[in-house]
Amino acid sequence: MSKERDVAGAMSPRNDAQNALELAVFAGGRVSRHPLPAEGRVSLGRSKENDVQIDDSSVSRRHALLHLGPRLAIEDLGSANGTRLRRERSAGPTTKLLELQLEPGKTMELSVGDAVNLGSTLIVVLPREGGASAAPGQAPGEPIVRDAAMQRLYALAERVAGAPITVLLLGETGAGKEVLAEHIHRRSPRAQGPFLRLNCAALSESLLESELFGHEKGAFTSAGQAKPGLLETAEKGTVLLDEVGELPPGIQVKLLRVLEDRKVMRVGGLSPRPIDVRFLSATNRDLAAEVKRGAFREDLFFRLNGIALTIPPLRARVSEIAPLARAMADRTASALGRPAPAFAPETLAALEAHRWPGNIRELRNVIERAVVLSGGDTLLPEHLLLDAAAAQPPPGALPAASPSPVEARPSAAPAEAAPPAGAPSPAGGAGGLRGELDAIERRRIVDALEQCAGNQTQAAALLGMPRRTFVARLNAYGIPRPRKGKSRG
């Protein structure tokens, strides 16, 4: 998928958070997530040209098409290893799991939550995070809030939602800033308008400018037609600028002008266009400190910081770990066509004792991996593969300022090679499995570097992890860091 289509699909307007969908891909013992547009077609396969690339040998280069809109369907494109739909069918008091083989070139309707095998890889269309993680007795679409400090925070957020004030969301990576932003949008007078999110760290400066402000036909070489930017597309709605602390200085200047004038100038345009948009922004950086060191404009900081809401890290919200884990396990088990697993008491104790440097994102990946790897109906501590060393904060680190891993992953070396310096050795009976998982992640990192011509910032964004975490993985796996002269950034 081209960058333009990827960004446009990921930022399709959503009038109801409960109807927004994502594609979960279960491959190699790991789970990846891909936001889906409201309508259209999404190609799936091993080739990089697909909308969603699935790097698995059992998947064909162009394997299948996912049809989105009022009707959800999957179409096989003549794949070598086939496309199979697994669906439950009730027959009196019993429920049978049926496996339906899709003929090449044929289309079959899907329901949200149906499990589909592309070769040996499993994919599932699911509601986006926030709309599907309801605990028992919880309304769908409502976040799980149990901790007293979080309850006070959400009560304040509801009061802020009704005002046009800009909101700055602060907190560690994965703490739930986007979930809180969507909650503010749903409680605001703009709830019927679109909610669009842009990750400011994931795009180059030129692409970021085009996606934010739009461009006119002929503004640059590949601009074959005029395209409205994110800010125009979000008319009457809300825009979340995620990782706003990563904005390049040139974009900061233009964004400040938009905030002051409520007008946007397309790239290559001659006259500004008025917009009616509410701005939310989120960062894991200390923007006040960034202002002091000259990395972030003070006037823009004041504009964004109408009111700041700080989300506590998950380790400070221990009472929420168990209900979050159960909701995530139920969702993953349903996607796999299994009954919801139980949690052994010692498993819950291990989860609550872990420090969760990656917060809710790390918890979600740990639980999804545990459900995929467990063979029974109870999740045991050994299924979690928690890394005690990775759970400890670095010496002298400030909890709210230190970037943390986006996903939980064992820190062992690949099983075929000796562990590199700095990588913890596998422990216990799960050593072989740890080695396999780490071999997969090491391969992903190397592939990402190759795709991005050695640019570490772009490779980290491609994998969805902070750059400092990415560099730490390079060191842990003994992967040579590309020299600056060989990269584009």
Side-chain angles (χ1 to χ4, degrees), residues 341-385:
F343 283 76
E346 54 270 28
T347 305
L348 290 177
L351 290 172
E352 292 178 349
H354 193 67
R355 289 194 59 84
W356 300 111
N359 292 289
I360 294 175
R361 288 181 188 167
E362 181 187 2
L363 174 64
R364 184 179 69 234
N365 284 334
V366 166
I367 296 302
E368 288 176 341
R369 183 175 62 202
V371 173
V372 169
L373 298 180
S374 67
D377 55 3
T378 301
L379 296 186
L380 303 175
E382 53 263 35
H383 297 142
L384 302 177
L385 297 179

Short mmCIF file of all heavy atoms in Angstrom, two decimals, residues 341-385:
data_model
loop_
_atom_site.label_atom_id
_atom_site.label_comp_id
_atom_site.label_asym_id
_atom_site.label_seq_id
_atom_site.Cartn_x
_atom_site.Cartn_y
_atom_site.Cartn_z
N PRO A 341 -10.48 -18.15 28.82
CA PRO A 341 -9.68 -18.88 29.81
C PRO A 341 -9.84 -18.29 31.21
O PRO A 341 -10.18 -17.12 31.38
CB PRO A 341 -8.25 -18.68 29.30
CG PRO A 341 -8.29 -17.34 28.63
CD PRO A 341 -9.66 -17.22 28.01
N ALA A 342 -9.58 -19.13 32.19
CA ALA A 342 -9.52 -18.67 33.58
C ALA A 342 -8.09 -18.27 33.90
O ALA A 342 -7.14 -18.66 33.21
CB ALA A 342 -9.99 -19.78 34.52
N PHE A 343 -7.92 -17.47 34.94
CA PHE A 343 -6.60 -17.06 35.40
C PHE A 343 -6.29 -17.75 36.72
O PHE A 343 -7.07 -17.62 37.68
CB PHE A 343 -6.54 -15.54 35.59
CG PHE A 343 -6.42 -14.75 34.32
CD1 PHE A 343 -7.52 -14.57 33.49
CD2 PHE A 343 -5.21 -14.19 33.95
CE1 PHE A 343 -7.42 -13.84 32.32
CE2 PHE A 343 -5.09 -13.45 32.78
CZ PHE A 343 -6.20 -13.29 31.97
N ALA A 344 -5.19 -18.47 36.76
CA ALA A 344 -4.76 -19.04 38.03
C ALA A 344 -4.41 -17.91 39.00
O ALA A 344 -3.94 -16.85 38.57
CB ALA A 344 -3.55 -19.94 37.81
N PRO A 345 -4.65 -18.09 40.31
CA PRO A 345 -4.34 -17.02 41.27
C PRO A 345 -2.90 -16.54 41.17
O PRO A 345 -2.62 -15.34 41.27
CB PRO A 345 -4.64 -17.67 42.63
CG PRO A 345 -5.64 -18.74 42.32
CD PRO A 345 -5.28 -19.25 40.96
N GLU A 346 -1.96 -17.49 40.95
CA GLU A 346 -0.56 -17.08 40.87
C GLU A 346 -0.28 -16.29 39.58
O GLU A 346 0.66 -15.49 39.52
CB GLU A 346 0.37 -18.29 40.95
CG GLU A 346 0.10 -19.40 39.94
CD GLU A 346 -0.88 -20.45 40.43
OE1 GLU A 346 -1.74 -20.11 41.28
OE2 GLU A 346 -0.79 -21.60 39.96
N THR A 347 -1.10 -16.50 38.54
CA THR A 347 -0.95 -15.72 37.31
C THR A 347 -1.34 -14.27 37.55
O THR A 347 -0.63 -13.34 37.15
CB THR A 347 -1.82 -16.31 36.19
OG1 THR A 347 -1.49 -17.69 36.02
CG2 THR A 347 -1.61 -15.57 34.89
N LEU A 348 -2.47 -14.06 38.22
CA LEU A 348 -2.89 -12.70 38.55
C LEU A 348 -1.88 -12.03 39.47
O LEU A 348 -1.58 -10.84 39.31
CB LEU A 348 -4.27 -12.72 39.21
CG LEU A 348 -5.45 -13.09 38.31
CD1 LEU A 348 -6.74 -13.15 39.11
CD2 LEU A 348 -5.59 -12.08 37.17
N ALA A 349 -1.33 -12.81 40.40
CA ALA A 349 -0.31 -12.24 41.30
C ALA A 349 0.91 -11.79 40.52
O ALA A 349 1.49 -10.73 40.79
CB ALA A 349 0.07 -13.26 42.37
N ALA A 350 1.32 -12.60 39.52
CA ALA A 350 2.49 -12.24 38.70
C ALA A 350 2.20 -10.99 37.88
O ALA A 350 3.06 -10.12 37.73
CB ALA A 350 2.87 -13.40 37.79
N LEU A 351 0.98 -10.90 37.34
CA LEU A 351 0.63 -9.72 36.56
C LEU A 351 0.64 -8.46 37.42
O LEU A 351 1.12 -7.41 37.01
CB LEU A 351 -0.76 -9.91 35.94
CG LEU A 351 -0.88 -10.95 34.81
CD1 LEU A 351 -2.35 -11.15 34.44
CD2 LEU A 351 -0.09 -10.54 33.59
N GLU A 352 0.12 -8.57 38.63
CA GLU A 352 0.04 -7.39 39.50
C GLU A 352 1.40 -7.01 40.08
O GLU A 352 1.61 -5.86 40.47
CB GLU A 352 -0.97 -7.65 40.61
CG GLU A 352 -2.40 -7.75 40.08
CD GLU A 352 -3.42 -8.04 41.16
OE1 GLU A 352 -3.00 -8.38 42.30
OE2 GLU A 352 -4.64 -7.94 40.88
N ALA A 353 2.34 -7.96 40.11
CA ALA A 353 3.68 -7.65 40.62
C ALA A 353 4.60 -7.07 39.56
O ALA A 353 5.61 -6.46 39.88
CB ALA A 353 4.30 -8.92 41.21
N HIS A 354 4.24 -7.27 38.29
CA HIS A 354 5.08 -6.78 37.19
C HIS A 354 5.00 -5.26 37.11
O HIS A 354 3.96 -4.67 37.42
CB HIS A 354 4.59 -7.40 35.88
CG HIS A 354 5.53 -7.23 34.73
ND1 HIS A 354 6.75 -7.85 34.67
CD2 HIS A 354 5.40 -6.53 33.57
CE1 HIS A 354 7.35 -7.54 33.53
NE2 HIS A 354 6.56 -6.73 32.85
N ARG A 355 6.08 -4.60 36.68
CA ARG A 355 6.10 -3.14 36.66
C ARG A 355 5.52 -2.53 35.39
O ARG A 355 5.27 -1.34 35.33
CB ARG A 355 7.55 -2.63 36.84
CG ARG A 355 8.08 -2.84 38.25
CD ARG A 355 9.34 -2.04 38.48
NE ARG A 355 9.13 -0.61 38.30
CZ ARG A 355 8.64 0.21 39.23
NH1 ARG A 355 8.29 -0.27 40.40
NH2 ARG A 355 8.50 1.49 38.98
N TRP A 356 5.32 -3.29 34.34
CA TRP A 356 4.68 -2.86 33.11
C TRP A 356 5.29 -1.58 32.54
O TRP A 356 4.61 -0.54 32.45
CB TRP A 356 3.16 -2.68 33.31
CG TRP A 356 2.51 -3.95 33.73
CD1 TRP A 356 1.96 -4.23 34.95
CD2 TRP A 356 2.40 -5.15 32.95
NE1 TRP A 356 1.51 -5.53 34.97
CE2 TRP A 356 1.76 -6.11 33.77
CE3 TRP A 356 2.78 -5.50 31.66
CZ2 TRP A 356 1.50 -7.40 33.32
CZ3 TRP A 356 2.53 -6.79 31.21
CH2 TRP A 356 1.89 -7.72 32.05
N PRO A 357 6.54 -1.63 32.13
CA PRO A 357 7.14 -0.44 31.51
C PRO A 357 6.43 -0.03 30.22
O PRO A 357 6.48 1.14 29.83
CB PRO A 357 8.59 -0.85 31.24
CG PRO A 357 8.57 -2.35 31.24
CD PRO A 357 7.50 -2.75 32.20
N GLY A 358 5.77 -0.97 29.54
CA GLY A 358 5.01 -0.65 28.33
C GLY A 358 3.53 -0.43 28.58
O GLY A 358 2.76 -0.27 27.65
N ASN A 359 3.13 -0.47 29.86
CA ASN A 359 1.77 -0.16 30.28
C ASN A 359 0.72 -1.05 29.62
O ASN A 359 0.95 -2.24 29.47
CB ASN A 359 1.50 1.33 30.05
CG ASN A 359 2.33 2.20 30.98
OD1 ASN A 359 2.07 2.24 32.18
ND2 ASN A 359 3.34 2.88 30.45
N ILE A 360 -0.42 -0.47 29.22
CA ILE A 360 -1.53 -1.29 28.74
C ILE A 360 -1.18 -2.00 27.43
O ILE A 360 -1.61 -3.13 27.19
CB ILE A 360 -2.79 -0.42 28.57
CG1 ILE A 360 -3.26 0.07 29.94
CG2 ILE A 360 -3.93 -1.20 27.89
CD1 ILE A 360 -4.41 1.03 29.89
N ARG A 361 -0.39 -1.36 26.58
CA ARG A 361 0.01 -2.04 25.34
C ARG A 361 0.81 -3.28 25.64
O ARG A 361 0.63 -4.33 25.01
CB ARG A 361 0.83 -1.08 24.47
CG ARG A 361 0.01 0.02 23.83
CD ARG A 361 0.88 0.89 22.97
NE ARG A 361 0.17 2.08 22.51
CZ ARG A 361 0.74 3.11 21.96
NH1 ARG A 361 2.05 3.13 21.80
NH2 ARG A 361 0.03 4.14 21.56
N GLU A 362 1.71 -3.18 26.59
CA GLU A 362 2.50 -4.36 26.96
C GLU A 362 1.61 -5.43 27.56
O GLU A 362 1.74 -6.62 27.23
CB GLU A 362 3.60 -3.96 27.94
CG GLU A 362 4.49 -5.13 28.34
CD GLU A 362 5.47 -4.77 29.45
OE1 GLU A 362 5.44 -3.63 29.94
OE2 GLU A 362 6.25 -5.67 29.82
N LEU A 363 0.68 -5.03 28.44
CA LEU A 363 -0.24 -6.00 29.04
C LEU A 363 -1.05 -6.70 27.96
O LEU A 363 -1.21 -7.92 27.99
CB LEU A 363 -1.17 -5.28 30.02
CG LEU A 363 -2.29 -6.14 30.63
CD1 LEU A 363 -1.72 -7.25 31.49
CD2 LEU A 363 -3.25 -5.27 31.44
N ARG A 364 -1.56 -5.95 26.99
CA ARG A 364 -2.36 -6.55 25.93
C ARG A 364 -1.55 -7.58 25.14
O ARG A 364 -2.03 -8.69 24.87
CB ARG A 364 -2.89 -5.47 24.99
CG ARG A 364 -3.81 -6.03 23.90
CD ARG A 364 -4.36 -4.94 23.00
NE ARG A 364 -3.30 -4.37 22.17
CZ ARG A 364 -3.02 -3.08 22.10
NH1 ARG A 364 -3.68 -2.22 22.84
NH2 ARG A 364 -2.06 -2.65 21.31
N ASN A 365 -0.33 -7.24 24.79
CA ASN A 365 0.49 -8.19 24.02
C ASN A 365 0.85 -9.42 24.84
O ASN A 365 0.90 -10.53 24.31
CB ASN A 365 1.75 -7.49 23.52
CG ASN A 365 1.47 -6.57 22.34
OD1 ASN A 365 0.51 -6.78 21.60
ND2 ASN A 365 2.27 -5.54 22.19
N VAL A 366 1.13 -9.23 26.13
CA VAL A 366 1.43 -10.38 27.00
C VAL A 366 0.23 -11.31 27.09
O VAL A 366 0.35 -12.54 26.97
CB VAL A 366 1.86 -9.90 28.40
CG1 VAL A 366 1.84 -11.05 29.41
CG2 VAL A 366 3.25 -9.29 28.35
N ILE A 367 -0.97 -10.75 27.29
CA ILE A 367 -2.17 -11.58 27.43
C ILE A 367 -2.51 -12.27 26.12
O ILE A 367 -2.83 -13.48 26.09
CB ILE A 367 -3.36 -10.73 27.92
CG1 ILE A 367 -3.08 -10.18 29.33
CG2 ILE A 367 -4.64 -11.54 27.92
CD1 ILE A 367 -2.82 -11.23 30.37
N GLU A 368 -2.45 -11.55 25.01
CA GLU A 368 -2.75 -12.17 23.72
C GLU A 368 -1.79 -13.30 23.42
O GLU A 368 -2.19 -14.37 22.95
CB GLU A 368 -2.71 -11.11 22.62
CG GLU A 368 -3.89 -10.15 22.68
CD GLU A 368 -3.80 -9.04 21.64
OE1 GLU A 368 -2.69 -8.81 21.12
OE2 GLU A 368 -4.83 -8.42 21.35
N ARG A 369 -0.50 -13.08 23.70
CA ARG A 369 0.48 -14.12 23.47
C ARG A 369 0.21 -15.31 24.37
O ARG A 369 0.30 -16.48 23.95
CB ARG A 369 1.88 -13.56 23.72
CG ARG A 369 3.00 -14.56 23.42
CD ARG A 369 4.35 -13.90 23.59
NE ARG A 369 4.55 -13.44 24.95
CZ ARG A 369 5.41 -12.48 25.30
NH1 ARG A 369 6.11 -11.87 24.37
NH2 ARG A 369 5.55 -12.12 26.56
N ALA A 370 -0.15 -15.06 25.63
CA ALA A 370 -0.41 -16.16 26.57
C ALA A 370 -1.59 -17.00 26.11
O ALA A 370 -1.55 -18.24 26.19
CB ALA A 370 -0.67 -15.59 27.97
N VAL A 371 -2.65 -16.35 25.62
CA VAL A 371 -3.82 -17.10 25.15
C VAL A 371 -3.46 -17.92 23.92
O VAL A 371 -3.87 -19.08 23.79
CB VAL A 371 -4.98 -16.13 24.84
CG1 VAL A 371 -6.14 -16.87 24.20
CG2 VAL A 371 -5.45 -15.45 26.12
N VAL A 372 -2.67 -17.35 23.02
CA VAL A 372 -2.28 -18.07 21.81
C VAL A 372 -1.42 -19.29 22.16
O VAL A 372 -1.57 -20.37 21.58
CB VAL A 372 -1.51 -17.13 20.85
CG1 VAL A 372 -0.86 -17.92 19.72
CG2 VAL A 372 -2.45 -16.09 20.27
N LEU A 373 -0.51 -19.13 23.13
CA LEU A 373 0.43 -20.19 23.44
C LEU A 373 -0.13 -21.23 24.41
O LEU A 373 0.37 -22.36 24.45
CB LEU A 373 1.71 -19.59 24.05
CG LEU A 373 2.49 -18.63 23.16
CD1 LEU A 373 3.73 -18.10 23.87
CD2 LEU A 373 2.88 -19.29 21.85
N SER A 374 -1.13 -20.89 25.20
CA SER A 374 -1.66 -21.84 26.18
C SER A 374 -2.49 -22.90 25.47
O SER A 374 -3.20 -22.63 24.52
CB SER A 374 -2.52 -21.11 27.22
OG SER A 374 -3.68 -20.60 26.62
N GLY A 375 -2.39 -24.12 25.95
CA GLY A 375 -3.15 -25.20 25.34
C GLY A 375 -4.38 -25.57 26.12
O GLY A 375 -5.23 -26.32 25.63
N GLY A 376 -4.52 -25.07 27.35
CA GLY A 376 -5.64 -25.45 28.19
C GLY A 376 -6.62 -24.33 28.39
O GLY A 376 -6.66 -23.36 27.65
N ASP A 377 -7.44 -24.49 29.46
CA ASP A 377 -8.46 -23.50 29.73
C ASP A 377 -8.08 -22.56 30.87
O ASP A 377 -8.90 -21.78 31.33
CB ASP A 377 -9.80 -24.17 30.04
CG ASP A 377 -9.69 -25.17 31.19
OD1 ASP A 377 -8.58 -25.29 31.78
OD2 ASP A 377 -10.69 -25.83 31.51
N THR A 378 -6.81 -22.66 31.34
CA THR A 378 -6.35 -21.81 32.43
C THR A 378 -5.00 -21.21 32.06
O THR A 378 -4.10 -21.92 31.61
CB THR A 378 -6.21 -22.61 33.74
OG1 THR A 378 -7.48 -23.18 34.07
CG2 THR A 378 -5.76 -21.70 34.88
N LEU A 379 -4.86 -19.90 32.25
CA LEU A 379 -3.58 -19.24 31.99
C LEU A 379 -2.70 -19.36 33.23
O LEU A 379 -3.10 -18.96 34.33
CB LEU A 379 -3.80 -17.77 31.65
CG LEU A 379 -4.57 -17.48 30.36
CD1 LEU A 379 -4.58 -15.98 30.09
CD2 LEU A 379 -3.96 -18.21 29.18
N LEU A 380 -1.52 -19.92 33.03
CA LEU A 380 -0.56 -20.14 34.12
C LEU A 380 0.58 -19.14 33.99
O LEU A 380 0.80 -18.56 32.92
CB LEU A 380 -0.03 -21.57 34.07
CG LEU A 380 -1.09 -22.67 34.13
CD1 LEU A 380 -0.45 -24.04 33.95
CD2 LEU A 380 -1.85 -22.59 35.46
N PRO A 381 1.35 -18.91 35.06
CA PRO A 381 2.44 -17.92 34.99
C PRO A 381 3.43 -18.18 33.87
O PRO A 381 3.95 -17.24 33.27
CB PRO A 381 3.11 -18.04 36.38
CG PRO A 381 2.02 -18.52 37.28
CD PRO A 381 1.18 -19.44 36.44
N GLU A 382 3.69 -19.46 33.55
CA GLU A 382 4.67 -19.75 32.50
C GLU A 382 4.19 -19.33 31.12
O GLU A 382 4.99 -19.20 30.18
CB GLU A 382 5.04 -21.24 32.49
CG GLU A 382 3.87 -22.18 32.42
CD GLU A 382 3.46 -22.69 33.79
OE1 GLU A 382 3.57 -21.92 34.76
OE2 GLU A 382 3.03 -23.85 33.88
N HIS A 383 2.88 -19.14 30.95
CA HIS A 383 2.37 -18.69 29.67
C HIS A 383 2.64 -17.20 29.43
O HIS A 383 2.59 -16.73 28.29
CB HIS A 383 0.85 -18.93 29.58
CG HIS A 383 0.47 -20.37 29.63
ND1 HIS A 383 -0.65 -20.84 30.30
CD2 HIS A 383 1.07 -21.46 29.11
CE1 HIS A 383 -0.73 -22.14 30.17
NE2 HIS A 383 0.30 -22.56 29.45
N LEU A 384 2.92 -16.46 30.50
CA LEU A 384 3.08 -15.02 30.38
C LEU A 384 4.43 -14.63 29.77
O LEU A 384 4.56 -13.59 29.12
CB LEU A 384 2.93 -14.35 31.75
CG LEU A 384 1.60 -14.58 32.47
CD1 LEU A 384 1.63 -13.92 33.84
CD2 LEU A 384 0.43 -14.05 31.64
N LEU A 385 5.46 -15.45 30.03
CA LEU A 385 6.82 -15.15 29.56
C LEU A 385 7.26 -13.74 29.97
O LEU A 385 7.84 -13.00 29.18
CB LEU A 385 6.92 -15.30 28.04
CG LEU A 385 6.67 -16.70 27.47
CD1 LEU A 385 6.78 -16.67 25.95
CD2 LEU A 385 7.64 -17.71 28.06
#
